[in-house]
Amino acid sequence: MKMIGSDYVLEAHNIFHTTEVDGGGCFNGAGNSALVLKGVNLTVHSGEVMAILGSKGSGKRALLDVISRRADGATRGQVLLNGSPLSKALFQQRCGYVTQSCTFVPGLTVAQTLHYTPTILSGYLKSSKVRQVLADLALSQVAHKRVEYLNISEARRLAIGIQLVRDPVMLLLDEPTHGLDPLSAYLLISILSNTAKKTGCGILLSLEKPRSDVFPFLDRALFLCLGGVVYSGGTRAMLEYFHGIGFPCPQLENPLMYYLCLSTVDRRSRDRFLESSQQIEALVERFSRETPISDAPINNMGSGKVPLAYGKPGELKVWVMLYLKLLASTFSCGLVGMKTLFLRLLLLPLAMSMLWAFYLNVGDDAHGFFTRNGLILNILGLSYGCGILTTISLFPIWRKKFSQDTPEGLYSGTTLLIAYNSVSIPFSAISAVIGSCVIYPLLLDSKYNNGMVFAYLLVALWSSFVLAEQLSITFLLVVKVPFNAAIAVTYVLVISIALASGTVRSFKGLQPWLQDNTKGTHTRYASSLLHSIAFQSRKLNCTPTASVICPKPADFMHERLGLPDPDETIDVAASCAFAVGLAAFNMLLYLFPMPRCVRQKFKD
C-alpha cells in the first residue's frame, strides 16, 4: 500500500492542444479545429489540492483530458509523473479520473459498488480499504443504501470513492461541485483536502464558480482563459503575484472569484469584450514572461522511475467482479431486482401463455392447419420480441458503464460480454424451458409426446430469444437510445420472418434467389423446427369436397417451407449456431475502437 510520505509529482510543461470543436457527425466529415490550450504549465505534489479555474470554454476539461490521455486531437508538450512521461497505460495504472457523469449499476448498495470495483486487492485487504473509503468520504451512514436512491452529493462522493478504492497517486476531478448546494460543495472540497493529506494523493480538480469557503483547502490554483494561463502556482503566492502587478484583491472579497472574473472575457458589449480580451492577453503574456518555461522536469527523483504500488488486476479477476456485480443487481431485493428477474425469467413464459387464449380450440381440419401456421408466426415473433425487450431494458446501463470505464482500461468489451452472457444465457435457457412447457400442449398433438420433440421446441424458443438479445447488443454498441435500437432490430427480424419463416407467405411465392438467401437467416431453421413439431406427427381430420381442399402435412410443409421432410438435426445445429455465433461476433466487435462521434455520443 502506498505510504503517506510517498513523494509523487505531476507536471505539465508547455501544453498546446488542438481539438475539433464543431463536429459534423460520423458521416459529415471533420469539423472545425481550434487551439484550446496554449502553453499551459502546472505542478502538483503528493498531498496537495490544485484547482483549475476558468469560465466555460476556457479549456479546463481539455487540460484534464490531455493529462489523462483521453483527449482527441493533436497535443504538444510534456506530461510527467515523477519525471517519467505519463503514458495512457501509466495513468490508468496509477491515477484516477472522476467525470461529471458517472453511471452506477442500479440495485447495488454503496458498499457493494465499492467492493465490486476491480482492484488487485482481495479479501480482508479489500474490505478494509472499502471501510476506510466509506469513512473518509462520510458515506458510512449510507453504506447499505441503494445507489439509485442517493442524492447528488452522495452520488458524487461515491464516484470519488470508486477511484480512491484503487489507491491512485493522482486524482483528477471534472467540476466535482457542479450542481451541489453550498454546504455539500464545502463538505466535498474539505473531504478531498483531508483525503489528500491523509493518503498522500495529489488532487487536481476543475471549478467554474468557486466559493470563498473552499479557498483554505486549495494549495495551488491555475487560472485559464481561452486556453491561456493567467496564473499557475500556490494560492498564497497568488495573492502576492496579483498584488504585485497592480490587481490586489479587495478586502472581504472572494479572491478565487475575483481573479476568476479578472480572467474571464466580458461579453456584455463589444467595447467591454475588446477591453477585457486585451487585458487578459496582457496578463497571459506577463505571466509567461515572469515564469519562463523550463525544458527539464522539476522533479528528478527515482531517475524517472515511478514506484508501482499494486499494478493492474487481471482479466479473470475483473470478469469475476463484473459477474458478481451482475448477479447482485439481478437478485437485489428492490424494484430493480424484481424487474430484472421478471424480464429474465418470466417474460417469455408469460408471452407464451397469452397464446392459449387464441389457439386453445384449434382443430386438425384444413382451417386448423393454417391457424397453427399462425401460431408458429406468433411464437417466433414473441420470442424475438421478448429478447429485444429484455435487452433494451437491462443492457443499456452496462453499455453506458462500459463507455465510461473504457478510458480507464479496467476491462475490454469482450470481458463485459462474457460476464453479461454468463448471467443472461442461463436465465434465458431456464425461461425457454418454462415457455416450452407452456406452449408444448398447444403445438403438439397430445397423442404424440416425445422428449426429443420437446427439445426441438426448447431450441427454437431459446435460440430465437438469444438471437434477438445478441442482435440488440450489436445495435446498442453504436445506438445510444434503446428505443431506436429496438426499432432497428425489430425491422431486421420482421423482414426475416416475412421472407424465411414460411408463415407470412409460402416459399413458392419467392424468387429463387430469395429462397437461397433465406438459408442465411436464423428464422428459416427455427421455423422449420416448429413446423416439424406441429405438422409431421399430426393427422388431418378432413373430408375433401368440391369446396374443401384437404392438404397433406408433407405437402403443406413443402409449400410453406420448400421442404417436405425437414432435417431436424440440421435445424437444431443451425439455430444454435446463429445464436452462439452472433454472441461470439459481438465479443469480437466490442474489441474494436469506436469512432470519435460514437464515443462522444455516449460520453455526453
Side-chain angles (χ1 to χ4, degrees):
M1 184 176 295
K2 170 169 55 56
M3 301 300 294
I4 294 179
S6 299
D7 187 13
Y8 292 89
V9 181
L10 174 67
E11 304 163 71
H13 294 284
N14 201 22
I15 301 296
F16 288 84
H17 180 66
T18 303
T19 189
E20 185 179 314
V21 295
D22 185 21
C26 293
F27 306 103
N28 298 328
N32 299 322
S33 297
L35 185 64
V36 295
L37 294 176
K38 308 169 186 177
V40 177
N41 297 273
L42 64 84
T43 303
V44 186
H45 294 264
S46 296
E48 290 183 340
V49 178
M50 182 174 192
I52 303 174
L53 302 155
S55 59
K56 187 175 181 180
S58 61
K60 302 187 299 296
R61 181 177 297 177
L63 180 57
L64 292 176
D65 287 344
V66 167
I67 294 173
S68 62
R69 297 317 195 199
R70 301 184 182 190
D72 295 311
T75 302
R76 290 191 292 113
Q78 286 184 308
V79 180
L80 307 172
L81 181 62
N82 277 15
S84 294
L86 186 58
S87 63
K88 184 175 182 178
L90 182 58
F91 183 90
Q92 292 172 347
Q93 190 174 9
R94 298 307 299 129
C95 304
Y97 189 5
V98 181
T99 60
Q100 285 190 36
S101 57
C102 188
T103 302
F104 307 118
V105 178
L108 300 184
T109 64
V110 172
Q112 286 176 322
T113 301
L114 293 177
H115 184 76
Y116 292 136
T117 299
T119 67
I120 203 166
L121 294 176
S122 60
Y124 176 77
L125 290 177
K126 180 71 171 289
S127 300
S128 299
K129 185 67 178 179
V130 168
R131 287 195 297 270
Q132 175 191 331
V133 170
L134 288 171
D136 291 344
L137 297 179
L139 291 173
S140 298
Q141 297 298 322
V142 294
H144 301 292
K145 189 176 182 180
R146 303 196 182 280
V147 295
E148 58 266 31
Y149 301 122
L150 297 177
N151 60 42
I152 186 172
S153 176
E154 294 166 344
R156 198 68 54 80
R157 281 178 276 149
L158 176 58
I160 296 171
I162 291 174
Q163 296 297 327
L164 292 179
V165 166
R166 299 173 56 208
D167 199 31
V169 299
M170 291 290 166
L171 180 62
L172 280 58
L173 301 100
D174 182 17
E175 297 195 19
T177 60
H178 178 74
L180 298 183
D181 60 84
L183 182 59
S184 297
Y186 173 83
L187 173 64
L188 181 61
I189 298 298
S190 65
I191 286 175
L192 289 174
S193 177
N194 292 334
T195 300
K197 302 298 185 293
K198 180 179 179 181
T199 65
C201 174
I203 293 179
L204 180 63
L205 54 89
S206 61
L207 295 172
E208 185 174 349
K209 296 179 180 179
R211 292 173 52 85
S212 59
D213 52 8
V214 306
F215 181 76
F217 299 112
L218 304 180
D219 302 291
R220 293 175 180 266
L222 169 66
F223 288 87
L224 285 177
C225 182
L226 300 178
V229 179
V230 176
Y231 173 81
S232 178
T235 50
R236 293 184 179 274
M238 174 187 72
L239 301 176
E240 299 175 0
Y241 170 78
F242 282 108
H243 186 277
I245 63 174
F247 294 96
C249 181
Q251 290 186 353
L252 304 180
E253 188 77 33
N254 176 5
L256 296 176
M257 278 301 299
Y258 180 77
Y259 292 122
L260 177 58
C261 293
L262 185 67
S263 309
T264 302
V265 176
D266 192 340
R267 303 179 186 273
R268 287 178 291 179
S269 67
R270 183 175 181 276
D271 292 338
R272 296 180 71 90
F273 174 81
L274 294 175
E275 181 183 353
S276 60
S277 297
Q278 292 173 357
Q279 176 179 283
I280 291 171
E281 288 180 5
L283 290 172
V284 171
E285 291 179 4
R286 180 157 188 172
F287 181 77
S288 178
R289 288 196 309 268
E290 296 191 8
T291 55
I293 300 171
S294 174
D295 294 330
I298 296 173
N299 180 66
N300 294 310
M301 66 163 288
S303 301
K305 296 181 179 179
V306 181
L308 301 180
Y310 286 119
K312 187 178 178 181
E315 284 290 326
L316 178 60
K317 188 166 188 177
V318 173
W319 173 82
V320 171
M321 290 292 103
L322 289 173
Y323 179 74
L324 293 177
K325 190 183 294 187
L326 277 157
L327 287 181
S329 177
T330 301
F331 291 106
S332 60
C333 297
L335 184 62
V336 172
M338 294 173 60
K339 168 189 168 184
T340 304
L341 282 175
F342 173 78
L343 290 172
R344 291 195 187 279
L345 279 182
L346 302 179
L347 180 62
L348 182 60
L350 181 63
M352 294 297 107
S353 65
M354 292 171 56
L355 297 178
W356 277 80
F358 302 97
Y359 296 97
L360 178 61
N361 297 318
V362 177
D364 288 334
D365 54 5
H367 178 72
F369 263 50
F370 290 96
T371 303
R372 292 185 188 280
N373 199 49
L375 173 61
I376 293 173
L377 170 64
N378 282 285
I379 291 174
L380 286 173
L382 288 174
S383 299
Y384 286 145
C386 290
I388 295 172
L389 180 59
T390 300
T391 308
I392 67 168
S393 300
L394 301 181
F395 187 73
I397 189 70
W398 296 96
R399 171 63 181 92
K400 186 176 181 180
K401 183 69 175 167
F402 167 66
S403 68
Q404 294 178 357
D405 291 345
T406 296
E408 298 182 13
L410 292 178
Y411 52 86
S412 64
T414 299
T415 304
L416 170 65
L417 289 185
I418 291 175
Y420 186 85
N421 290 332
S422 297
V423 173
S424 67
I425 289 180
F427 273 107
S428 64
I430 297 173
S431 179
V433 169
I434 302 173
S436 299
C437 293
V438 172
I439 204 68
Y440 184 76
L442 279 182
L443 196 61
L444 190 69
D445 190 345
S446 58
K447 299 178 182 178
Y448 186 78
N449 295 316
N450 188 298
M452 186 60 68
V453 174
F454 180 84
Y456 295 158
L457 175 59
L458 172 60
V459 168
L461 288 186
W462 176 81
S463 63
S464 299
F465 183 95
V466 172
L467 182 112
E469 176 185 53
Q470 295 300 323
L471 193 58
S472 301
I473 289 175
T474 303
F475 277 88
L476 286 171
L477 177 63
V478 294
V479 180
K480 182 178 181 180
V481 181
F483 182 72
N484 293 343
I487 292 175
V489 176
T490 301
Y491 183 75
V492 171
L493 293 177
V494 164
I495 293 176
S496 179
I497 290 175
L499 295 179
S501 68
T503 57
V504 178
R505 61 181 300 172
S506 66
F507 269 58
K508 288 186 177 181
L510 298 178
Q511 296 292 331
W513 65 273
L514 273 178
Q515 294 182 22
D516 293 335
N517 287 337
T518 59
K519 296 177 182 179
T521 66
H522 164 271
T523 308
R524 177 184 176 95
Y525 303 99
S527 177
S528 178
L529 277 175
L530 294 175
H531 276 84
S532 298
I533 298 170
F535 295 110
Q536 277 196 325
S537 63
R538 193 171 297 279
K539 295 182 180 180
L540 182 64
N541 297 326
C542 178
T543 302
T545 65
S547 59
V548 177
I549 299 176
C550 299
K552 296 180 180 179
D555 295 337
F556 183 82
M557 293 182 63
H558 181 65
E559 178 185 356
R560 305 307 298 182
L561 296 176
L563 298 170
D565 188 19
D567 189 337
E568 288 84 0
T569 303
I570 294 178
D571 293 337
V572 168
S575 298
C576 294
F578 272 100
V580 176
L582 187 54
F585 172 77
N586 282 337
M587 293 178 191
L588 180 64
L589 186 65
Y590 271 64
L591 280 178
F592 290 98
M594 289 294 101
R596 181 181 183 273
C597 58
V598 175
R599 297 198 309 270
Q600 192 65 34
K601 178 167 51 177
F602 282 92
K603 181 180 179 182
D604 295 337

